[in-house]
Amino acid sequence: MSLRTIALSALFLLVSACASTGTVVSTGDRYAPTTAEVSDYELDTGDKIRLTVYNEAALSGEFNVKPDGMVSLPLIGNILARGQTIDAVARAAEARFADGYLRTPQVAAEVVEFRPFFILGEVATPGSYPYSVGLTVNDAVALAKGFTPRANKDVIGIRRKGATEEINYALTPNLHVYPGDTILIGERFF
């Protein structure tokens, strides 16, 4: 192999490595301690909620947010959940139950299961995993049984649910994952 071929190969690898990482974010809300509460969480497809209607066991239960963003409840039908907080869904259910079905209904609600996150690339078992509050990228990698030997452990890509592009982040112990995120662990070049 000639010196020129080796130099061109090295230059190609260097340009490829730079192009794949782009701008790397190392500050922001993903690095801050988790202060947001579940009550601020906006529901979407893949979430499961529990609604408890006081003194009405037949109307209470666990319900999935369907692909159309609705939750189907007994007696009152569909309520919009996508983009709503859990408290907003509970208040909407109360209003619908009060509209000719129950006297002064009281509805309590909680998120039982968050939509999953996805991890792809250089991990032992890529795939979909259940989200839990306070999850970090290191926790997500551990769920996927660790990095492969070729994994880039410095920069990872994350695409939020509904976003069209992924953002590259510096991998630190306090980098947080959100429900519905897709995490891409790239391959290191050197």
Side-chain angles (χ1 to χ4, degrees):
M1 202 181 245
S2 71
L3 183 59
R4 181 173 185 227
T5 305
I6 294 171
L8 285 174
S9 297
L11 180 61
F12 175 77
L13 285 174
L14 183 61
V15 168
S16 297
C18 292
S20 66
T21 57
T23 304
V24 178
V25 177
S26 60
T27 60
D29 65 329
R30 283 193 186 268
Y31 292 95
T34 338
T35 56
E37 295 187 25
V38 175
S39 62
D40 298 334
Y41 174 70
E42 291 185 359
L43 297 167
D44 204 348
T45 302
D47 291 325
K48 182 187 275 187
I49 64 172
R50 178 181 298 126
L51 289 175
T52 306
V53 182
Y54 181 68
N55 278 341
E56 297 292 338
L59 302 177
S60 302
E62 293 184 359
F63 307 94
N64 291 314
V65 179
K66 299 185 303 186
D68 63 357
M70 306 296 264
V71 174
S72 292
L73 302 177
L75 197 60
I76 59 173
N78 290 334
I79 291 183
L80 177 65
R82 177 178 289 139
Q84 305 295 314
T85 65
I86 193 70
D87 290 334
V89 171
R91 299 303 70 85
E94 279 181 354
R96 294 276 292 277
F97 281 125
D99 190 23
Y101 298 103
L102 300 173
R103 272 187 225 188
T104 61
Q106 295 178 0
V107 177
E110 64 182 316
V111 179
V112 176
E113 189 176 299
F114 294 92
R115 59 189 170 267
F117 71 92
F118 305 89
I119 187 164
L120 307 171
E122 297 298 323
V123 290
T125 55
S128 169
Y129 292 92
Y131 175 81
S132 60
V133 176
L135 186 77
T136 65
V137 172
N138 285 341
D139 298 334
V141 170
L143 286 171
K145 299 193 175 150
F147 291 111
T148 66
R150 295 179 307 276
N152 180 350
K153 298 176 187 169
D154 298 323
V155 176
I156 57 108
I158 300 177
R159 187 179 71 233
R160 293 285 310 253
K161 180 173 174 51
T164 57
E165 295 180 18
E166 70 184 32
I167 298 173
N168 292 319
Y169 290 92
L171 182 56
T172 65
N174 58 344
L175 179 59
H176 291 279
V177 176
Y178 298 135
D181 279 353
T182 300
I183 304 165
L184 177 63
I185 307 295
E187 185 176 353
R188 63 184 164 90
F189 292 98
F190 299 102

mmCIF file with all atom_site columns, all heavy atoms in Angstrom, residues 149-169:
data_model
loop_
_atom_site.group_PDB
_atom_site.id
_atom_site.type_symbol
_atom_site.label_atom_id
_atom_site.label_alt_id
_atom_site.label_comp_id
_atom_site.label_asym_id
_atom_site.label_entity_id
_atom_site.label_seq_id
_atom_site.pdbx_PDB_ins_code
_atom_site.Cartn_x
_atom_site.Cartn_y
_atom_site.Cartn_z
_atom_site.occupancy
_atom_site.B_iso_or_equiv
_atom_site.pdbx_formal_charge
_atom_site.auth_seq_id
_atom_site.auth_comp_id
_atom_site.auth_asym_id
_atom_site.auth_atom_id
_atom_site.pdbx_PDB_model_num
ATOM 1   N N   . PRO A 1 149 ? -17.444 -3.660 21.973 1.00 0.00 ? 149 PRO A N   1
ATOM 2   C CA  . PRO A 1 149 ? -16.059 -3.150 21.981 1.00 0.00 ? 149 PRO A CA  1
ATOM 3   C C   . PRO A 1 149 ? -15.831 -1.984 21.017 1.00 0.00 ? 149 PRO A C   1
ATOM 4   O O   . PRO A 1 149 ? -14.923 -1.193 21.215 1.00 0.00 ? 149 PRO A O   1
ATOM 5   C CB  . PRO A 1 149 ? -15.226 -4.367 21.561 1.00 0.00 ? 149 PRO A CB  1
ATOM 6   C CG  . PRO A 1 149 ? -16.071 -5.547 21.934 1.00 0.00 ? 149 PRO A CG  1
ATOM 7   C CD  . PRO A 1 149 ? -17.494 -5.096 21.757 1.00 0.00 ? 149 PRO A CD  1
ATOM 8   N N   . ARG A 1 150 ? -16.670 -1.855 20.006 1.00 0.00 ? 150 ARG A N   1
ATOM 9   C CA  . ARG A 1 150 ? -16.490 -0.781 19.016 1.00 0.00 ? 150 ARG A CA  1
ATOM 10  C C   . ARG A 1 150 ? -17.258 0.490  19.353 1.00 0.00 ? 150 ARG A C   1
ATOM 11  O O   . ARG A 1 150 ? -17.238 1.449  18.589 1.00 0.00 ? 150 ARG A O   1
ATOM 12  C CB  . ARG A 1 150 ? -16.945 -1.280 17.641 1.00 0.00 ? 150 ARG A CB  1
ATOM 13  C CG  . ARG A 1 150 ? -16.129 -2.396 17.077 1.00 0.00 ? 150 ARG A CG  1
ATOM 14  C CD  . ARG A 1 150 ? -16.657 -2.857 15.725 1.00 0.00 ? 150 ARG A CD  1
ATOM 15  N NE  . ARG A 1 150 ? -18.068 -3.200 15.721 1.00 0.00 ? 150 ARG A NE  1
ATOM 16  C CZ  . ARG A 1 150 ? -18.567 -4.379 16.078 1.00 0.00 ? 150 ARG A CZ  1
ATOM 17  N NH1 . ARG A 1 150 ? -17.785 -5.334 16.469 1.00 0.00 ? 150 ARG A NH1 1
ATOM 18  N NH2 . ARG A 1 150 ? -19.866 -4.603 16.026 1.00 0.00 ? 150 ARG A NH2 1
ATOM 19  N N   . ALA A 1 151 ? -17.960 0.535  20.447 1.00 0.00 ? 151 ALA A N   1
ATOM 20  C CA  . ALA A 1 151 ? -18.857 1.652  20.767 1.00 0.00 ? 151 ALA A CA  1
ATOM 21  C C   . ALA A 1 151 ? -18.107 2.944  21.029 1.00 0.00 ? 151 ALA A C   1
ATOM 22  O O   . ALA A 1 151 ? -17.047 2.956  21.666 1.00 0.00 ? 151 ALA A O   1
ATOM 23  C CB  . ALA A 1 151 ? -19.696 1.303  21.988 1.00 0.00 ? 151 ALA A CB  1
ATOM 24  N N   . ASN A 1 152 ? -18.678 4.037  20.556 1.00 0.00 ? 152 ASN A N   1
ATOM 25  C CA  . ASN A 1 152 ? -18.193 5.378  20.870 1.00 0.00 ? 152 ASN A CA  1
ATOM 26  C C   . ASN A 1 152 ? -18.773 5.735  22.235 1.00 0.00 ? 152 ASN A C   1
ATOM 27  O O   . ASN A 1 152 ? -19.979 5.933  22.368 1.00 0.00 ? 152 ASN A O   1
ATOM 28  C CB  . ASN A 1 152 ? -18.653 6.370  19.806 1.00 0.00 ? 152 ASN A CB  1
ATOM 29  C CG  . ASN A 1 152 ? -18.171 7.776  20.076 1.00 0.00 ? 152 ASN A CG  1
ATOM 30  O OD1 . ASN A 1 152 ? -17.647 8.088  21.143 1.00 0.00 ? 152 ASN A OD1 1
ATOM 31  N ND2 . ASN A 1 152 ? -18.333 8.638  19.081 1.00 0.00 ? 152 ASN A ND2 1
ATOM 32  N N   . LYS A 1 153 ? -17.922 5.825  23.229 1.00 0.00 ? 153 LYS A N   1
ATOM 33  C CA  . LYS A 1 153 ? -18.377 6.084  24.594 1.00 0.00 ? 153 LYS A CA  1
ATOM 34  C C   . LYS A 1 153 ? -18.257 7.556  24.971 1.00 0.00 ? 153 LYS A C   1
ATOM 35  O O   . LYS A 1 153 ? -18.412 7.908  26.138 1.00 0.00 ? 153 LYS A O   1
ATOM 36  C CB  . LYS A 1 153 ? -17.581 5.228  25.579 1.00 0.00 ? 153 LYS A CB  1
ATOM 37  C CG  . LYS A 1 153 ? -17.779 3.746  25.341 1.00 0.00 ? 153 LYS A CG  1
ATOM 38  C CD  . LYS A 1 153 ? -16.917 2.915  26.252 1.00 0.00 ? 153 LYS A CD  1
ATOM 39  C CE  . LYS A 1 153 ? -17.027 1.456  25.873 1.00 0.00 ? 153 LYS A CE  1
ATOM 40  N NZ  . LYS A 1 153 ? -16.028 0.640  26.537 1.00 0.00 ? 153 LYS A NZ  1
ATOM 41  N N   . ASP A 1 154 ? -18.009 8.405  23.983 1.00 0.00 ? 154 ASP A N   1
ATOM 42  C CA  . ASP A 1 154 ? -17.870 9.837  24.243 1.00 0.00 ? 154 ASP A CA  1
ATOM 43  C C   . ASP A 1 154 ? -19.074 10.641 23.770 1.00 0.00 ? 154 ASP A C   1
ATOM 44  O O   . ASP A 1 154 ? -19.499 11.582 24.430 1.00 0.00 ? 154 ASP A O   1
ATOM 45  C CB  . ASP A 1 154 ? -16.607 10.379 23.567 1.00 0.00 ? 154 ASP A CB  1
ATOM 46  C CG  . ASP A 1 154 ? -15.345 9.741  24.103 1.00 0.00 ? 154 ASP A CG  1
ATOM 47  O OD1 . ASP A 1 154 ? -15.290 9.478  25.325 1.00 0.00 ? 154 ASP A OD1 1
ATOM 48  O OD2 . ASP A 1 154 ? -14.425 9.484  23.303 1.00 0.00 ? 154 ASP A OD2 1
ATOM 49  N N   . VAL A 1 155 ? -19.612 10.287 22.600 1.00 0.00 ? 155 VAL A N   1
ATOM 50  C CA  . VAL A 1 155 ? -20.714 11.037 21.988 1.00 0.00 ? 155 VAL A CA  1
ATOM 51  C C   . VAL A 1 155 ? -21.807 10.056 21.578 1.00 0.00 ? 155 VAL A C   1
ATOM 52  O O   . VAL A 1 155 ? -21.528 9.029  20.966 1.00 0.00 ? 155 VAL A O   1
ATOM 53  C CB  . VAL A 1 155 ? -20.231 11.824 20.747 1.00 0.00 ? 155 VAL A CB  1
ATOM 54  C CG1 . VAL A 1 155 ? -21.387 12.528 20.064 1.00 0.00 ? 155 VAL A CG1 1
ATOM 55  C CG2 . VAL A 1 155 ? -19.154 12.814 21.128 1.00 0.00 ? 155 VAL A CG2 1
ATOM 56  N N   . ILE A 1 156 ? -23.061 10.389 21.927 1.00 0.00 ? 156 ILE A N   1
ATOM 57  C CA  . ILE A 1 156 ? -24.190 9.558  21.516 1.00 0.00 ? 156 ILE A CA  1
ATOM 58  C C   . ILE A 1 156 ? -25.260 10.455 20.913 1.00 0.00 ? 156 ILE A C   1
ATOM 59  O O   . ILE A 1 156 ? -25.326 11.648 21.204 1.00 0.00 ? 156 ILE A O   1
ATOM 60  C CB  . ILE A 1 156 ? -24.772 8.743  22.698 1.00 0.00 ? 156 ILE A CB  1
ATOM 61  C CG1 . ILE A 1 156 ? -25.212 9.646  23.854 1.00 0.00 ? 156 ILE A CG1 1
ATOM 62  C CG2 . ILE A 1 156 ? -23.779 7.754  23.217 1.00 0.00 ? 156 ILE A CG2 1
ATOM 63  C CD1 . ILE A 1 156 ? -26.671 9.716  23.954 1.00 0.00 ? 156 ILE A CD1 1
ATOM 64  N N   . GLY A 1 157 ? -26.085 9.885  20.062 1.00 0.00 ? 157 GLY A N   1
ATOM 65  C CA  . GLY A 1 157 ? -27.180 10.635 19.452 1.00 0.00 ? 157 GLY A CA  1
ATOM 66  C C   . GLY A 1 157 ? -28.503 10.290 20.128 1.00 0.00 ? 157 GLY A C   1
ATOM 67  O O   . GLY A 1 157 ? -28.736 9.138  20.481 1.00 0.00 ? 157 GLY A O   1
ATOM 68  N N   . ILE A 1 158 ? -29.341 11.303 20.315 1.00 0.00 ? 158 ILE A N   1
ATOM 69  C CA  . ILE A 1 158 ? -30.676 11.088 20.867 1.00 0.00 ? 158 ILE A CA  1
ATOM 70  C C   . ILE A 1 158 ? -31.683 11.825 20.000 1.00 0.00 ? 158 ILE A C   1
ATOM 71  O O   . ILE A 1 158 ? -31.502 13.000 19.686 1.00 0.00 ? 158 ILE A O   1
ATOM 72  C CB  . ILE A 1 158 ? -30.795 11.590 22.324 1.00 0.00 ? 158 ILE A CB  1
ATOM 73  C CG1 . ILE A 1 158 ? -29.807 10.864 23.229 1.00 0.00 ? 158 ILE A CG1 1
ATOM 74  C CG2 . ILE A 1 158 ? -32.226 11.417 22.831 1.00 0.00 ? 158 ILE A CG2 1
ATOM 75  C CD1 . ILE A 1 158 ? -29.806 11.363 24.659 1.00 0.00 ? 158 ILE A CD1 1
ATOM 76  N N   . ARG A 1 159 ? -32.745 11.110 19.597 1.00 0.00 ? 159 ARG A N   1
ATOM 77  C CA  . ARG A 1 159 ? -33.841 11.736 18.861 1.00 0.00 ? 159 ARG A CA  1
ATOM 78  C C   . ARG A 1 159 ? -35.092 11.648 19.724 1.00 0.00 ? 159 ARG A C   1
ATOM 79  O O   . ARG A 1 159 ? -35.510 10.571 20.134 1.00 0.00 ? 159 ARG A O   1
ATOM 80  C CB  . ARG A 1 159 ? -34.072 11.043 17.517 1.00 0.00 ? 159 ARG A CB  1
ATOM 81  C CG  . ARG A 1 159 ? -35.086 11.804 16.670 1.00 0.00 ? 159 ARG A CG  1
ATOM 82  C CD  . ARG A 1 159 ? -35.323 11.168 15.320 1.00 0.00 ? 159 ARG A CD  1
ATOM 83  N NE  . ARG A 1 159 ? -36.063 9.933  15.510 1.00 0.00 ? 159 ARG A NE  1
ATOM 84  C CZ  . ARG A 1 159 ? -35.690 8.756  15.028 1.00 0.00 ? 159 ARG A CZ  1
ATOM 85  N NH1 . ARG A 1 159 ? -34.600 8.638  14.335 1.00 0.00 ? 159 ARG A NH1 1
ATOM 86  N NH2 . ARG A 1 159 ? -36.426 7.686  15.247 1.00 0.00 ? 159 ARG A NH2 1
ATOM 87  N N   . ARG A 1 160 ? -35.675 12.803 20.014 1.00 0.00 ? 160 ARG A N   1
ATOM 88  C CA  . ARG A 1 160 ? -36.925 12.846 20.792 1.00 0.00 ? 160 ARG A CA  1
ATOM 89  C C   . ARG A 1 160 ? -38.054 12.282 19.962 1.00 0.00 ? 160 ARG A C   1
ATOM 90  O O   . ARG A 1 160 ? -38.057 12.369 18.738 1.00 0.00 ? 160 ARG A O   1
ATOM 91  C CB  . ARG A 1 160 ? -37.290 14.291 21.159 1.00 0.00 ? 160 ARG A CB  1
ATOM 92  C CG  . ARG A 1 160 ? -36.399 15.019 22.113 1.00 0.00 ? 160 ARG A CG  1
ATOM 93  C CD  . ARG A 1 160 ? -36.512 14.621 23.552 1.00 0.00 ? 160 ARG A CD  1
ATOM 94  N NE  . ARG A 1 160 ? -37.794 14.545 24.170 1.00 0.00 ? 160 ARG A NE  1
ATOM 95  C CZ  . ARG A 1 160 ? -38.283 15.395 25.043 1.00 0.00 ? 160 ARG A CZ  1
ATOM 96  N NH1 . ARG A 1 160 ? -37.587 16.452 25.390 1.00 0.00 ? 160 ARG A NH1 1
ATOM 97  N NH2 . ARG A 1 160 ? -39.447 15.202 25.590 1.00 0.00 ? 160 ARG A NH2 1
ATOM 98  N N   . LYS A 1 161 ? -39.045 11.722 20.631 1.00 0.00 ? 161 LYS A N   1
ATOM 99  C CA  . LYS A 1 161 ? -40.228 11.221 19.925 1.00 0.00 ? 161 LYS A CA  1
ATOM 100 C C   . LYS A 1 161 ? -40.862 12.383 19.162 1.00 0.00 ? 161 LYS A C   1
ATOM 101 O O   . LYS A 1 161 ? -41.092 13.448 19.723 1.00 0.00 ? 161 LYS A O   1
ATOM 102 C CB  . LYS A 1 161 ? -41.222 10.638 20.919 1.00 0.00 ? 161 LYS A CB  1
ATOM 103 C CG  . LYS A 1 161 ? -42.477 10.095 20.267 1.00 0.00 ? 161 LYS A CG  1
ATOM 104 C CD  . LYS A 1 161 ? -43.344 9.382  21.272 1.00 0.00 ? 161 LYS A CD  1
ATOM 105 C CE  . LYS A 1 161 ? -44.660 8.933  20.760 1.00 0.00 ? 161 LYS A CE  1
ATOM 106 N NZ  . LYS A 1 161 ? -44.738 8.192  19.579 1.00 0.00 ? 161 LYS A NZ  1
ATOM 107 N N   . GLY A 1 162 ? -41.091 12.186 17.888 1.00 0.00 ? 162 GLY A N   1
ATOM 108 C CA  . GLY A 1 162 ? -41.695 13.210 17.054 1.00 0.00 ? 162 GLY A CA  1
ATOM 109 C C   . GLY A 1 162 ? -40.704 14.122 16.351 1.00 0.00 ? 162 GLY A C   1
ATOM 110 O O   . GLY A 1 162 ? -41.075 14.847 15.449 1.00 0.00 ? 162 GLY A O   1
ATOM 111 N N   . ALA A 1 163 ? -39.436 14.101 16.774 1.00 0.00 ? 163 ALA A N   1
ATOM 112 C CA  . ALA A 1 163 ? -38.417 14.941 16.134 1.00 0.00 ? 163 ALA A CA  1
ATOM 113 C C   . ALA A 1 163 ? -37.935 14.270 14.852 1.00 0.00 ? 163 ALA A C   1
ATOM 114 O O   . ALA A 1 163 ? -38.020 13.052 14.693 1.00 0.00 ? 163 ALA A O   1
ATOM 115 C CB  . ALA A 1 163 ? -37.239 15.172 17.076 1.00 0.00 ? 163 ALA A CB  1
ATOM 116 N N   . THR A 1 164 ? -37.415 15.075 13.937 1.00 0.00 ? 164 THR A N   1
ATOM 117 C CA  . THR A 1 164 ? -36.929 14.526 12.676 1.00 0.00 ? 164 THR A CA  1
ATOM 118 C C   . THR A 1 164 ? -35.425 14.313 12.673 1.00 0.00 ? 164 THR A C   1
ATOM 119 O O   . THR A 1 164 ? -34.913 13.575 11.846 1.00 0.00 ? 164 THR A O   1
ATOM 120 C CB  . THR A 1 164 ? -37.297 15.459 11.508 1.00 0.00 ? 164 THR A CB  1
ATOM 121 O OG1 . THR A 1 164 ? -36.764 16.759 11.772 1.00 0.00 ? 164 THR A OG1 1
ATOM 122 C CG2 . THR A 1 164 ? -38.805 15.537 11.341 1.00 0.00 ? 164 THR A CG2 1
ATOM 123 N N   . GLU A 1 165 ? -34.717 14.969 13.585 1.00 0.00 ? 165 GLU A N   1
ATOM 124 C CA  . GLU A 1 165 ? -33.262 14.850 13.619 1.00 0.00 ? 165 GLU A CA  1
ATOM 125 C C   . GLU A 1 165 ? -32.800 14.473 15.015 1.00 0.00 ? 165 GLU A C   1
ATOM 126 O O   . GLU A 1 165 ? -33.425 14.825 16.005 1.00 0.00 ? 165 GLU A O   1
ATOM 127 C CB  . GLU A 1 165 ? -32.609 16.167 13.218 1.00 0.00 ? 165 GLU A CB  1
ATOM 128 C CG  . GLU A 1 165 ? -32.878 16.585 11.795 1.00 0.00 ? 165 GLU A CG  1
ATOM 129 C CD  . GLU A 1 165 ? -32.198 17.898 11.447 1.00 0.00 ? 165 GLU A CD  1
ATOM 130 O OE1 . GLU A 1 165 ? -31.267 18.307 12.178 1.00 0.00 ? 165 GLU A OE1 1
ATOM 131 O OE2 . GLU A 1 165 ? -32.599 18.502 10.457 1.00 0.00 ? 165 GLU A OE2 1
ATOM 132 N N   . GLU A 1 166 ? -31.677 13.764 15.051 1.00 0.00 ? 166 GLU A N   1
ATOM 133 C CA  . GLU A 1 166 ? -31.105 13.442 16.349 1.00 0.00 ? 166 GLU A CA  1
ATOM 134 C C   . GLU A 1 166 ? -30.081 14.512 16.724 1.00 0.00 ? 166 GLU A C   1
ATOM 135 O O   . GLU A 1 166 ? -29.523 15.182 15.851 1.00 0.00 ? 166 GLU A O   1
ATOM 136 C CB  . GLU A 1 166 ? -30.483 12.055 16.357 1.00 0.00 ? 166 GLU A CB  1
ATOM 137 C CG  . GLU A 1 166 ? -29.230 11.917 15.552 1.00 0.00 ? 166 GLU A CG  1
ATOM 138 C CD  . GLU A 1 166 ? -28.725 10.493 15.539 1.00 0.00 ? 166 GLU A CD  1
ATOM 139 O OE1 . GLU A 1 166 ? -29.520 9.551  15.587 1.00 0.00 ? 166 GLU A OE1 1
ATOM 140 O OE2 . GLU A 1 166 ? -27.500 10.346 15.465 1.00 0.00 ? 166 GLU A OE2 1
ATOM 141 N N   . ILE A 1 167 ? -29.889 14.662 18.009 1.00 0.00 ? 167 ILE A N   1
ATOM 142 C CA  . ILE A 1 167 ? -28.918 15.613 18.540 1.00 0.00 ? 167 ILE A CA  1
ATOM 143 C C   . ILE A 1 167 ? -27.809 14.813 19.193 1.00 0.00 ? 167 ILE A C   1
ATOM 144 O O   . ILE A 1 167 ? -28.071 13.836 19.895 1.00 0.00 ? 167 ILE A O   1
ATOM 145 C CB  . ILE A 1 167 ? -29.579 16.559 19.562 1.00 0.00 ? 167 ILE A CB  1
ATOM 146 C CG1 . ILE A 1 167 ? -30.675 17.377 18.868 1.00 0.00 ? 167 ILE A CG1 1
ATOM 147 C CG2 . ILE A 1 167 ? -28.554 17.470 20.215 1.00 0.00 ? 167 ILE A CG2 1
ATOM 148 C CD1 . ILE A 1 167 ? -31.506 18.227 19.805 1.00 0.00 ? 167 ILE A CD1 1
ATOM 149 N N   . ASN A 1 168 ? -26.574 15.212 18.956 1.00 0.00 ? 168 ASN A N   1
ATOM 150 C CA  . ASN A 1 168 ? -25.429 14.543 19.554 1.00 0.00 ? 168 ASN A CA  1
ATOM 151 C C   . ASN A 1 168 ? -25.132 15.149 20.915 1.00 0.00 ? 168 ASN A C   1
ATOM 152 O O   . ASN A 1 168 ? -25.080 16.370 21.062 1.00 0.00 ? 168 ASN A O   1
ATOM 153 C CB  . ASN A 1 168 ? -24.202 14.665 18.649 1.00 0.00 ? 168 ASN A CB  1
ATOM 154 C CG  . ASN A 1 168 ? -24.381 13.878 17.381 1.00 0.00 ? 168 ASN A CG  1
ATOM 155 O OD1 . ASN A 1 168 ? -24.892 12.765 17.395 1.00 0.00 ? 168 ASN A OD1 1
ATOM 156 N ND2 . ASN A 1 168 ? -23.968 14.436 16.263 1.00 0.00 ? 168 ASN A ND2 1
ATOM 157 N N   . TYR A 1 169 ? -24.924 14.291 21.905 1.00 0.00 ? 169 TYR A N   1
ATOM 158 C CA  . TYR A 1 169 ? -24.651 14.716 23.275 1.00 0.00 ? 169 TYR A CA  1
ATOM 159 C C   . TYR A 1 169 ? -23.353 14.098 23.759 1.00 0.00 ? 169 TYR A C   1
ATOM 160 O O   . TYR A 1 169 ? -23.037 12.954 23.406 1.00 0.00 ? 169 TYR A O   1
ATOM 161 C CB  . TYR A 1 169 ? -25.773 14.258 24.221 1.00 0.00 ? 169 TYR A CB  1
ATOM 162 C CG  . TYR A 1 169 ? -27.075 14.965 24.019 1.00 0.00 ? 169 TYR A CG  1
ATOM 163 C CD1 . TYR A 1 169 ? -28.040 14.451 23.165 1.00 0.00 ? 169 TYR A CD1 1
ATOM 164 C CD2 . TYR A 1 169 ? -27.353 16.157 24.679 1.00 0.00 ? 169 TYR A CD2 1
ATOM 165 C CE1 . TYR A 1 169 ? -29.246 15.102 22.975 1.00 0.00 ? 169 TYR A CE1 1
ATOM 166 C CE2 . TYR A 1 169 ? -28.553 16.808 24.490 1.00 0.00 ? 169 TYR A CE2 1
ATOM 167 C CZ  . TYR A 1 169 ? -29.494 16.274 23.643 1.00 0.00 ? 169 TYR A CZ  1
ATOM 168 O OH  . TYR A 1 169 ? -30.686 16.915 23.454 1.00 0.00 ? 169 TYR A OH  1
#
